[in-house]
Amino acid sequence: MLSLMRINAIPIPATTLLTAKDILYRLKAVDIKAVITDEENIQKFKEASENIEHPPILITTDEYVRERASESPFVGERASSDSPALIFFTSGTTGLPKMVLHTQASYPFAHRITGRFWLDLKADDLHFNLSDTGWAKAAWSSLFGPWHMGACVFSFFRYGRFDPQATIEVLEKYSVTTFCGPPTAYRMMVKEWQGKIELKGLRHCVGAGEPLNKEVIELWREKTGLYIYDGYGQTETVNVLANLRCLWRAGSMGVPTPGFDVDVVDETGLPVTTGAEGDIAIRVKPVRPVGLFREYLGNPKATGETIKGDFYITGDRAYKDEDGFFWFIGRADDVILTSGYRIGPFEIESVLIEHPAVEESAITASPDPLRGEVVKAFIVLTKGYEPSEYLVKELQDFVKNHTAPYKYPRKIAFVKELPKTVSGKIKRKELKLKEFSP
């Protein structure tokens, strides 16, 4: 990454989980000149390149090291702060991935906010981030944030599915001091690890990618003695909302980070009153903040649609309390409308995770002839539990007893796993589309 940026080439990070079809989509979306990969994944690129008129140069990492290592370093022309720095494809939770173009200032520079205020990194820290390198979170927490603060980055290579027990053992064995993981990882660790988790070196934990349930934060605190500081941002931004060491409220998204004016606005782009639901929005007028992407490359319509009035609209829904903390409701497309009520999926998922039978869940709308939509829960069960009508009733009653009764899931499906993006975010839209398909 740093070498490419040094010669003013524009890197496009990608996960090894991409299929040939995913790669073909990316090759057609932008004029990619070269692909750097390893022997294990090169075949997928060759397959995708067969459908491209001018295929990119393919470079394997082994070949590059062997044949180029002795060459003298090349220094590119100096870049300005608004020059393109890198492109990320969005995770595609609400449609086909878009190309997010960041400048030399909006990512490499502005992630100082991420490293200093949210990750709380110091020069003597050993920082471990659970993130595939194709996800923007790797740029946040495995590259630019630690780089700014002079912290050491711990890298742990693993094959296959996430292993919660192995991760805990790694944290202890190597005396990791700061840890960043997605909510799914924290949920699995606290659900599957019996007893206390002894992590003597660990001092600071953060979560990002999806909202983190208050119940998981409390369980992690019971097992480790540490809080999880949830943070919020997008591929299009750096860290814009965060629970900080000095400002923390369990279950909230936190408060705006330095350099950002964040508010909750209505459909016209005007701020709403305290406690009212609206869109999370970042003020871009009269001054656009540094840590915001430049554009969706090749898609001026989508870029323009993000602006309402003086704000950039994130597409996420929340409300703000009297102390300025933000509380997540859901993606705008995820909100369920049933019998005149508006229900955010995150609140119900937060209740369900408290039940010992639930390892994780996803809430979405399902069609209903009487109510228009009803709440449906897709549930992955904890080891030792089996699906049954009795368990369905028990979970429905559990939700009724822990939140407003009208929010309970009238439909429940038990599944082995939930559909997720390569970055670990639940694809609620995919579940919803299946529900409403004829």
Side-chain angles (χ1 to χ4, degrees):
M1 284 281 288
L2 296 180
S3 297
L4 289 168
M5 292 171 67
R6 185 71 175 123
I7 64 171
N8 290 344
I10 302 174
I12 306 174
T15 173
T16 56
L17 296 177
L18 293 180
T19 64
K21 181 179 178 182
D22 297 323
I23 294 165
L24 179 61
Y25 172 80
R26 284 155 174 75
L27 294 179
K28 287 184 174 180
V30 63
D31 184 18
I32 294 173
K33 300 297 185 184
V35 171
I36 301 173
T37 186
D38 58 15
E39 290 288 350
E40 185 180 348
N41 288 281
I42 198 168
Q43 189 56 42
K44 292 187 290 187
F45 283 92
K46 288 181 177 178
E47 182 181 335
S49 296
E50 292 174 356
N51 299 288
I52 299 295
E53 185 176 354
H54 301 290
I57 299 168
L58 288 176
I59 304 169
T60 66
T61 48
D62 292 340
E63 172 192 341
Y64 186 85
V65 171
R66 183 175 64 251
E67 297 184 3
R68 318 288 176 116
S70 61
E71 295 183 7
S72 59
F74 173 79
V75 179
E77 297 178 4
R78 293 182 66 85
S80 63
S81 61
D82 62 352
S83 297
L86 74 166
I87 295 171
F88 271 104
F89 279 80
T90 60
S91 54
T93 54
T94 58
L96 289 172
K98 297 187 286 288
M99 292 181 288
V100 178
L101 177 63
H102 275 283
T103 67
Q104 297 287 347
S106 68
Y107 241 50
F109 174 73
H111 269 304
R112 183 174 182 84
I113 297 167
T114 307
R116 180 180 179 185
F117 296 102
W118 178 51
L119 298 178
D120 191 45
L121 292 173
K122 298 172 176 56
D124 59 353
D125 274 320
L126 180 61
H127 181 65
F128 182 19
N129 173 39
L130 286 181
S131 173
D132 186 290
T133 52
W135 182 25
K137 186 64 187 63
W140 285 42
S141 194
S142 296
L143 179 55
F144 298 122
W147 190 22
H148 275 295
M149 305 312 296
C152 179
V153 175
F154 177 82
S155 182
F156 176 56
F157 187 79
R158 58 183 168 81
Y159 290 98
R161 295 170 61 86
F162 171 71
D163 186 332
Q165 183 162 332
T167 302
I168 292 170
E169 291 171 355
V170 163
L171 289 168
E172 174 62 18
K173 180 178 179 180
Y174 295 98
S175 299
V176 171
T177 60
T178 56
F179 178 60
C180 176
T184 299
Y186 282 110
R187 283 194 289 265
M188 292 177 71
M189 285 190 283
V190 297
K191 284 280 186 176
E192 295 188 21
W193 187 274
Q194 301 300 317
K196 292 280 187 179
I197 301 175
E198 300 292 340
L199 302 172
K200 297 174 184 177
L202 197 62
R203 68 168 186 84
H204 185 60
C205 305
V206 298
E210 282 199 309
L212 189 61
N213 312 82
K214 181 180 179 181
E215 293 71 29
V216 174
I217 295 172
E218 291 173 348
L219 282 171
W220 183 257
R221 168 70 172 171
E222 288 176 13
K223 288 179 179 286
T224 67
L226 298 168
Y227 291 109
I228 304 170
Y229 293 79
D230 205 9
Y232 168 82
Q234 300 179 304
T235 307
E236 293 87 342
T237 73
V238 295
N239 179 219
V240 297
L241 292 172
N243 284 278
L244 309 174
R245 299 286 290 190
C246 57
L247 288 168
W248 181 84
R249 190 159 293 176
S252 79
M253 304 172 75
V255 297
T257 56
F260 287 96
D261 182 354
V262 188
D263 214 330
V264 179
V265 303
D266 62 19
E267 62 277 2
T268 66
L270 294 175
V272 300
T273 58
T274 298
E277 177 188 333
D279 289 306
I280 302 171
I282 301 168
R283 188 177 293 277
V284 294
K285 297 176 184 178
V287 179
R288 187 180 179 89
V290 175
L292 188 62
F293 78 126
R294 189 167 83 182
E295 62 181 312
Y296 293 121
L297 191 64
N299 198 338
K301 182 175 183 290
T303 304
E305 288 173 348
T306 63
I307 305 299
K308 283 185 184 178
D310 294 342
F311 292 92
Y312 161 77
I313 307 300
T314 64
D316 290 313
R317 306 280 291 180
Y319 68 90
K320 187 170 64 172
D321 67 23
E322 61 278 3
D323 296 321
F325 284 85
F326 285 68
W327 298 83
F328 186 76
I329 293 174
R331 288 289 301 174
D333 291 346
D334 291 339
V335 175
I336 303 162
L337 305 175
T338 178
S339 299
Y341 292 103
R342 293 173 57 85
I343 301 172
F346 180 62
E347 181 183 359
I348 308 169
E349 291 169 3
S350 294
V351 171
L352 284 170
I353 199 68
E354 291 186 65
H355 195 283
V358 179
E359 181 172 302
E360 61 178 345
S361 66
I363 298 296
T364 188
S366 183
D368 182 82
L370 179 62
R371 298 175 176 84
E373 295 178 350
V374 293
V375 175
K376 181 168 182 175
F378 293 85
I379 293 174
V380 177
L381 291 175
T382 307
K383 291 179 182 177
Y385 287 86
E386 296 293 334
S388 68
E389 288 300 319
Y390 175 82
L391 185 55
V392 168
K393 180 69 165 57
E394 182 178 325
L395 291 170
Q396 289 174 329
D397 290 342
F398 186 81
V399 174
K400 289 178 184 178
N401 292 331
H402 286 78
T403 187
Y406 69 85
K407 297 180 181 180
Y408 84 94
R410 293 178 181 272
K411 299 179 182 179
I412 291 180
F414 297 107
V415 296
K416 291 184 178 180
E417 60 183 4
L418 299 172
K420 294 175 183 174
T421 67
V422 292
S423 62
K425 297 178 184 178
I426 296 171
K427 291 183 177 181
R428 293 181 184 83
K429 185 174 182 180
E430 182 177 308
L431 293 171
K432 183 176 179 179
L433 286 174
K434 288 182 180 179
E435 287 299 298
F436 284 84
S437 295

